[in-house]
Amino acid sequence: MPVIAKDIPGFIVNRIARPYYGEALRIVEENIATPEQVDDAMRNLEISKWAHLN
């Protein structure tokens, strides 16, 4: 479903997902999970599928 929004640089989905990326980095830095574990979790989250929707 298209979204009509104000013209700004970048994509809305990328801006929404940005906090997830920052938190993923903190999780690895704090040794809570490995990069591979975070990668697996992100791949399985529904949010990672937003960019593929038309």
Side-chain angles (χ1 to χ4, degrees), residues 24 27-29 31-43:
I27 288 170
V28 172
E29 288 173 352
N31 294 315
I32 295 170
T34 65
E36 293 80 13
Q37 290 169 319
V38 171
D39 189 48
D40 287 342
M42 292 299 288
R43 287 175 190 245

Side-chain angles (χ1 to χ4, degrees), residues 8-39:
I8 60 169
F11 296 100
I12 292 173
V13 172
N14 292 347
R15 292 184 67 174
I16 293 169
R18 195 173 298 151
Y20 290 93
Y21 305 144
E23 190 61 26
L25 289 171
R26 280 189 286 282
I27 288 170
V28 172
E29 288 173 352
E30 295 175 11
N31 294 315
I32 295 170
T34 65
E36 293 80 13
Q37 290 169 319
V38 171
D39 189 48

